[in-house]
Amino acid sequence: MTGEKREWKGVTGGSTFGQKAMKILFSVVHVRVGYFILIFVIPFYMLFAHAGYLAIYRYFRRQHGYSVVKSFCKTYRNHYLFGQMILDRFAVYAGQKNFKVDNPDNDLFLKMVYAEHGCIIAGSHVGNPELCGYLLSQQTKRINSMIFGGEAKEVQRNRSKVLDDNNVRLIPVSEDMSHIFLINEALTNGEMISMPCDRAFGSGKTVACDFLNGKADFPVGAFVLALQYDVPVIAMFVLKITASLYRIHVVSVPVPQEGNKREKINEMTRSFAKILEDIVRRYPEQWFNFYNFWKK
């Protein structure tokens, strides 16, 4: 893409007061009331969050090759779905139990849950992965979810309250690198680590991959850990199908049998990028990287 590549901050928008107000609101009204309000709010959001709007418009126009009109309509739909998914989170915080889960690949996930070894769950900013931790409850193996350390306290508090009951521990990524010790502890104990694999967070350790008719940098961290601790990697995606239904896709990331460590890491990174590309082609409106993702 043309223009300066922008770093997406990855923080839930709104003040602490606004976030608390949404939780209170959804304790008395159905989340679909919020969906209706979004119809009128999204155009103003697109207007004032112009950089994010342009990045998504270019994504539809250039990576998918849509027409100008279709790209604009898809951009609106993308923002609308993103707003819905944020509201879904606050609805869960408020105790609403409106959502169902369709998990056609549950056997693969359960295989990882009951295995003695640990596992890495490669996530991405596609769909609503946070809902997976809220809706899937299992007490067999703890899932340690790496999150952006600068998230608002109100959001972190709500997340922890719901996730603690589902055997999920949050590991904020911190500047002092203390999260590295928690990752080591978790994998040594045979637990799962969930981490985003489509954003580098400023790290230079990336691999340029062919992705949706362009080149994009993907971080290698998850795959370095996988080889270091000899654990498998599964890619997990949580997609919104209807107002109340989410579908979870789980795909195993293959480990190359030949090559040195660096070559294996690079190949696993490219394999993840290909898996992600297949999902994005099936659900193009649920791509939520609101910055210039592709290399020039």
Side-chain angles (χ1 to χ4, degrees):
M1 285 189 170
T2 59
E4 179 184 358
K5 184 167 184 176
R6 300 173 183 270
E7 293 295 332
W8 178 250
K9 297 183 181 301
V11 180
T12 304
S15 64
T16 298
F17 174 79
Q19 293 165 0
K20 288 182 177 179
M22 277 202 292
K23 182 179 176 181
I24 294 172
L25 174 66
F26 291 136
S27 66
V28 294
V29 302
H30 197 281
V31 68
R32 295 196 187 193
V33 174
Y35 293 176
F36 177 74
I37 296 173
L38 277 177
I39 295 173
F40 308 100
V41 172
I42 292 302
F44 292 96
Y45 183 84
M46 290 170 61
L47 179 63
F48 291 104
H50 205 53
Y53 155 74
L54 287 176
I56 295 299
Y57 173 81
R58 290 171 182 148
Y59 153 74
F60 285 119
R61 189 85 174 94
R62 298 179 182 179
Q63 309 323 130
H64 291 283
Y66 295 158
S67 67
V68 171
V69 173
K70 186 174 182 179
S71 295
F72 177 80
C73 293
K74 290 286 187 180
T75 300
Y76 176 88
R77 175 67 176 167
N78 168 272
H79 283 63
Y80 182 57
L81 281 172
F82 184 64
Q84 283 188 338
M85 293 182 196
I86 291 177
L87 296 186
D88 289 348
R89 297 175 195 172
F90 282 92
V92 173
Y93 298 159
Q96 291 193 28
K97 301 184 183 297
N98 311 310
F99 306 107
K100 299 178 181 179
V101 176
D102 172 27
N103 191 354
D105 307 309
N106 196 42
D107 288 346
L108 176 56
F109 178 70
L110 290 179
K111 180 181 178 181
M112 297 297 110
V113 168
Y114 291 112
E116 293 184 1
H117 55 70
C119 174
I120 293 176
I121 301 174
S124 65
H125 294 81
V126 174
N128 200 357
E130 191 173 321
L131 260 288
C132 181
Y134 301 153
L135 302 178
L136 290 183
S137 179
Q138 58 84 27
Q139 300 300 320
T140 303
K141 180 177 289 189
R142 182 163 67 175
I143 299 176
N144 300 267
S145 179
M146 293 181 62
I147 62 169
F148 176 68
E151 185 63 274
K153 296 294 184 183
E154 178 67 17
V155 172
Q156 290 193 41
R157 186 160 47 246
N158 285 314
R159 281 175 175 168
S160 297
K161 183 178 179 180
V162 177
L163 293 174
D164 283 347
D165 295 334
N166 290 350
N167 204 19
V168 179
R169 176 177 68 169
L170 298 178
I171 300 181
V173 177
S174 55
E175 292 184 358
D176 64 5
M177 305 301 287
S178 60
H179 57 279
I180 297 297
F181 299 101
L182 295 176
I183 292 172
N184 175 71
E185 175 191 59
L187 291 176
T188 301
N189 292 336
E191 299 176 359
M192 290 182 168
I193 292 288
S194 173
M195 56 194 303
C197 293
D198 61 340
R199 291 184 190 169
F201 292 106
S203 172
K205 298 178 180 179
T206 61
V207 173
C209 300
D210 293 321
F211 183 66
L212 285 176
N213 303 316
K215 286 279 188 181
D217 290 330
F218 282 81
V220 302
F223 312 107
V224 172
L225 288 173
L227 293 183
Q228 179 179 343
Y229 289 91
D230 192 23
V231 296
V233 181
I234 56 174
M236 182 176 290
F237 309 94
V238 184
L239 292 311
K240 191 173 179 68
I241 305 303
T242 67
S244 59
L245 176 65
Y246 278 89
R247 178 167 296 146
I248 300 176
H249 290 287
V250 183
V251 184
S252 179
V253 178
V255 180
Q257 298 302 310
E258 298 180 355
N260 59 36
K261 184 177 180 180
R262 171 54 59 187
E263 291 169 342
K264 290 181 178 180
I265 290 170
N266 291 352
E267 187 58 34
M268 290 178 73
T269 306
R270 295 188 185 100
S271 294
F272 172 77
K274 181 62 173 65
I275 292 169
L276 178 61
E277 180 181 62
D278 291 342
I279 289 292
V280 175
R281 288 192 185 279
R282 293 169 64 182
Y283 304 92
E285 297 166 343
Q286 298 192 41
W287 170 262
F288 300 128
N289 280 304
F290 295 93
Y291 64 95
N292 291 340
F293 187 83
W294 281 264
K295 299 167 73 71
K296 293 182 180 180

